[in-house]
Amino acid sequence: MELMTTKKINDSLYQISEHISDQVKIEMYLVVGEKKAALIDTGYGLSGNLDKVIKEITDKPVICLITHCDPDHAGGAALFDDIHMSEKDQVLMDNGSLEPIGRLGTASATPGNEERAAYFKKHMVKAKSFEYKNIKDGEVFDLGGKSLIAISFPGHTEGSMCFWNKAENYCLVGDAVANIHSPVLFFKKCRPLIDYKENLKVFMEKVGDNCHFYTGHNEDELPHALIPEIFILCDEILSGNTEADEPYSPPFLRKPDENAGIKDKMKAKVIAKVVSEKELGDAIPMEHKHPGFTATVKYNANKIR
């Protein structure tokens, strides 16, 4: 089983991937300065050895910067002592976002993932919470020769933060801008679409059109053409041009593989029901597309304005 892999992006920036299954992996980032290193996000924490992986890269002290308190970004944070996160996402932790059974369910519900799920169950980070210092918009984290500037970007969650290396022109954005090629705004915790659009505008004015963005769900940086496309898509939705939009089915609501056993099918059904009630409520997930665009926008039809 391949559980954790690393890739060097440049002399001081590393991408660390947590492999949940053969198809699904979560991306984290390590920025190494002269005095200390900053870990941006911690994945689901299922392998339980992220701290050891980092020690293979650097022996410098590590600060942990959380983009937002979703389980796939903050699940492994309890492995570290010096954690920073926006207190605006405390409500997610209070509502059980880091519950071990929920994080493990992601792996357990994947057909053919039994061996990996058994390993995760034994070795995963089981903490439901962690102590942290509040991050303020504009706060600078000096790593010695490298600095990261915290930028608040409410949208995907109320407390979403991005971490900008201005000198090297890249920004680690979690799910704030987009995950793979789409903003994810359909959960009940998300801000209305119109807020996301305005906050994206402010964010882009700050970092510039040529900034390189790295997300938690894409091994490669986001294409520069994606941002103009997202603005157009948001404007179309806000103007009511949504006749062709299709209901979007989040992964936790999708039916298991036809070849899955009865136990796997029942487990997937229970997980879908519980997670749907908790994460969606009365939200109506929709996806807006445009011919020829790479970007799409996944939004809540009940929460546009």
Side-chain angles (χ1 to χ4, degrees):
M1 294 183 298
E2 196 169 43
L3 302 177
M4 302 283 282
T5 55
T6 61
K7 181 176 78 172
K8 191 172 185 178
I9 296 175
N10 62 35
D11 287 342
S12 60
L13 177 62
Y14 297 79
Q15 184 180 68
I16 304 173
S17 301
E18 180 184 33
H19 296 253
I20 306 304
S21 68
D22 290 338
Q23 297 78 33
V24 179
K25 61 193 182 89
I26 308 299
E27 311 299 346
M28 300 154 274
Y29 299 89
L30 185 72
V31 181
V32 181
E34 296 171 1
K35 296 181 179 179
K36 52 188 172 183
L39 172 67
I40 288 75
D41 286 343
T42 63
Y44 274 109
L46 292 175
S47 61
N49 68 338
L50 178 57
D51 52 342
K52 296 180 178 63
V53 172
I54 290 173
K55 287 180 180 177
E56 294 175 0
I57 299 172
T58 180
D59 59 0
K60 293 181 172 66
V62 175
I63 61 171
C64 182
L65 308 178
I66 302 296
T67 61
H68 63 295
C69 198
D70 277 350
D72 53 338
H73 293 260
L79 289 169
F80 303 92
D81 297 322
D82 191 359
I83 309 169
H84 302 253
M85 184 181 81
S86 170
E87 62 186 11
K88 293 178 181 178
D89 268 7
Q90 176 64 42
V91 64
L92 302 181
M93 195 187 301
D94 292 342
N95 289 337
S97 65
L98 304 184
E99 285 287 343
I101 191 170
R103 288 185 281 125
L104 184 61
T106 302
S108 302
T110 304
N113 215 33
E114 291 80 8
E115 182 183 4
R116 201 183 304 251
Y119 181 92
F120 290 156
K121 185 176 182 179
K122 182 177 180 181
H123 297 279
M124 69 181 293
V125 178
K126 295 181 173 63
K128 301 177 184 179
S129 63
F130 51 82
E131 297 295 325
Y132 63 92
K133 300 167 188 172
N134 181 44
I135 298 177
K136 296 179 181 178
D137 185 38
E139 186 171 351
V140 178
F141 295 91
D142 184 359
L143 308 178
K146 307 285 178 184
S147 293
L148 294 174
I149 304 169
I151 302 176
S152 175
F153 191 156
H156 180 68
T157 70
E158 192 67 33
S160 286
M161 304 294 299
C162 302
F163 300 98
W164 180 31
N165 185 324
K166 184 177 181 180
E168 297 181 17
N169 196 35
Y170 68 79
C171 194
L172 310 169
V173 300
D175 290 347
V177 174
N179 55 9
I180 300 175
H181 291 139
S182 177
V184 175
L185 305 167
F186 58 79
F187 293 106
K188 66 181 182 182
K189 68 190 173 190
C190 300
R191 281 279 193 96
L193 177 74
I194 193 168
D195 290 356
Y196 166 82
K197 182 202 165 187
E198 290 305 312
N199 291 334
L200 177 62
K201 180 181 178 182
V202 171
F203 174 76
M204 292 303 299
E205 288 172 349
K206 186 171 293 186
V207 302
D209 293 336
N210 295 316
C211 188
H212 300 276
F213 299 142
Y214 295 94
T215 82
H217 299 278
N218 197 341
E219 184 175 356
D220 301 317
E221 68 173 90
L222 290 180
H224 282 122
L226 205 71
I227 305 302
E229 291 181 359
I230 289 173
F231 277 118
I232 293 172
L233 294 170
C234 287
D235 284 337
E236 289 181 349
I237 297 169
L238 291 165
S239 67
N241 182 13
T242 58
E243 296 84 359
D245 290 2
E246 299 177 355
Y248 174 72
S249 182
F252 55 80
L253 293 183
R254 293 175 189 165
K255 295 180 180 179
D257 188 274
E258 291 182 1
N259 298 321
I262 295 176
K263 185 178 180 181
D264 284 335
K265 289 181 178 179
M266 290 298 295
K267 185 184 295 182
K269 186 176 181 180
V270 171
I271 290 173
K273 184 177 186 299
V274 172
V275 177
S276 178
E277 291 175 354
K278 179 180 177 183
E279 300 292 348
L280 294 181
D282 64 352
I284 302 176
M286 300 293 291
E287 185 168 25
H288 185 77
K289 303 177 182 180
H290 189 101
F293 278 20
T294 298
T296 72
V297 172
K298 299 181 178 76
Y299 67 99
N300 176 2
N302 278 343
K303 208 172 182 181
I304 293 175
R305 295 181 182 276

